[in-house]
Amino acid sequence: MEAQTRFDLNAAIEKWRLELAAQPNLGLADQRELEAHLRDTVAELQRRGLNDEETFWLARRRVGQPQQLDEEFAKANPENVWRDRVLWVAAAFLAWRLWSDISMVTIGVTLHFIHNAAWANASFQLFQFAPEWVRFYLPPTTIQVSRMVTSPIVQTLVYYAPVVWLAVCLVRGRAQNVSS
Amino acid sequence: MLAKDLVAASSKPLVLSILADGESYGYEIIQEVRELSGGHIEWSDGMLYPVLHRLEREGLIDSEWKEADTGRERKYYSLTSKGGKTLAVERQQWLKVHNTLCKLWKLKPVSI
């Protein structure tokens, strides 16, 4: 009994072509050229006596994964690479602006709550007259917390956190490239 | 197998030299390089087309879609006159490197 469905070579190539079309750096002419290449490879493998399915998968592997092809073509088109870079820089700038606004609002709201919390004032008054060494062992009071939050150093750190994070990522990426 | 940077550097003179013998298309160029190098230069298929497109942008080669004997269309590449001149310069430079190494390794240099 023949339960297996017949492999449709043309449909498989058509599907592969759609995968190529989904890649951002492969133009219509590139896709057409790569398809001609795949079909040439298929024809050669068929001459060697392989069946349609084996032929297709082997040819597909030889020509390369659509994503891999896209990367190779992107490298050869510097203008596309630059377009992507400009877009990334713009996106990063907007994200940073958004972050800085959010962090400023967050700090403002936090301060408002700290200043208005009754327990904060109470605990501050309670230990206000305690000797210095007693206060030393107490957890940082809310006053200190509020002072910390409002200190320009902390604010600057929060403000530039994404930039620092990005720099750390870049340095680590570079270190990995060097080591590999 | 040849080192990656050598494969990249030699792709230009190889493509131009193959096209100097007449027009050809991507698949055939890869086959020819594989055969001539005795399998030592193995180009990935995805690598060649960006090289061909770059050479075309530089005006060293031309391309044209044509119907092949199989009835399907293929993009054929041919050498331009500018490409011919570039090939002559490339040839000189590669042979200079070759001859310098030959002298160091006590092999017979070729005439440029």
Side-chain angles (χ1 to χ4, degrees):
Chain A
M1 235 176 37
E2 190 73 36
Q4 238 179 340
T5 48
R6 233 182 92 77
F7 181 77
D8 189 345
L9 183 64
N10 274 319
I13 292 177
E14 207 48 49
K15 217 177 136 203
W16 181 79
R17 177 82 192 253
L18 284 176
E19 273 183 71
L20 285 189
Q23 305 301 325
N25 293 299
L26 299 178
L28 219 65
D30 299 332
Q31 294 166 32
R32 212 171 137 201
E33 200 172 14
L34 287 168
E35 187 188 332
H37 189 104
L38 185 85
R39 286 186 184 274
D40 276 328
T41 313
V42 163
E44 188 214 314
L45 294 171
Q46 279 174 335
R47 274 199 299 277
R48 291 196 199 165
L50 294 178
N51 71 34
D52 279 1
E53 193 168 1
E54 289 166 337
T55 296
F56 173 75
W57 288 106
L58 203 59
R60 186 195 149 101
R61 229 180 64 196
R62 273 208 204 160
V63 177
Q65 296 297 322
Q67 209 184 337
Q68 207 181 325
L69 290 169
D70 183 64
E71 281 168 21
E72 298 271 6
F73 274 76
K75 274 188 248 164
N77 288 319
E79 60 269 33
N80 286 353
V81 175
W82 275 105
R83 183 199 61 198
D84 284 358
R85 278 182 193 164
V86 168
L87 276 175
W88 274 110
V89 167
F93 180 72
L94 282 174
W96 183 42
R97 282 302 304 269
L98 194 68
W99 165 265
S100 64
D101 288 349
I102 288 173
S103 65
M104 284 300 122
V105 170
T106 312
I107 287 172
V109 170
T110 314
L111 283 180
H112 178 79
F113 275 112
I114 286 171
H115 283 305
N116 289 312
W119 56 269
N121 291 332
S123 71
F124 178 69
Q125 279 161 12
L126 199 64
F127 296 108
Q128 204 179 8
F129 304 106
E132 181 70 33
W133 66 270
V134 173
R135 273 188 284 163
F136 179 79
Y137 288 105
L138 287 173
T141 61
T142 50
I143 300 301
Q144 280 165 319
V145 171
S146 80
R147 229 178 257 145
M148 248 165 64
V149 174
T150 46
S151 87
I153 295 173
V154 172
Q155 280 189 17
T156 315
L157 276 179
V158 171
Y159 193 73
Y160 286 105
V163 180
V164 173
W165 175 74
L166 196 68
V168 169
C169 284
L170 282 174
V171 168
R172 278 173 62 186
R174 184 152 294 179
Q176 265 172 16
N177 280 346
V178 168
S179 66
S180 66
Chain B
M1 284 289 275
L2 216 58
K4 225 175 166 183
D5 46 354
L6 268 179
V7 171
S10 59
S11 60
K12 187 175 172 182
L14 281 171
V15 168
L16 295 181
S17 303
I18 286 170
L19 296 182
D21 281 344
E23 61 173 16
S24 186
Y25 52 97
Y27 185 78
E28 200 178 54
I29 295 173
I30 289 179
Q31 298 283 60
E32 201 168 341
V33 167
R34 188 180 295 144
E35 244 167 70
L36 285 171
S37 70
H40 289 294
I41 303 179
E42 196 68 53
W43 282 356
S44 76
D45 300 356
M47 185 212 97
L48 175 68
Y49 290 103
V51 171
L52 286 170
H53 297 170
R54 198 191 69 221
L55 295 177
E56 192 180 0
R57 270 204 303 274
E58 290 172 10
L60 306 180
I61 59 177
D62 259 340
S63 71
E64 194 188 351
W65 283 95
K66 272 195 220 171
E67 198 174 304
D69 42 9
T70 54
R72 285 184 285 105
E73 285 211 313
R74 279 196 197 117
K75 199 174 176 184
Y76 282 84
Y77 292 90
S78 57
L79 198 68
T80 62
S81 58
K82 189 182 171 191
K85 282 174 204 148
T86 305
L87 176 58
V89 176
E90 283 269 329
R91 185 189 144 94
Q92 285 240 323
Q93 292 180 350
W94 278 88
L95 288 179
K96 273 177 199 159
V97 175
H98 173 82
N99 280 348
T100 309
L101 288 171
C102 279
K103 278 177 199 160
L104 282 166
W105 296 332
K106 315 276 186 289
L107 297 166
K108 208 176 151 206
V110 296
S111 56
I112 298 175

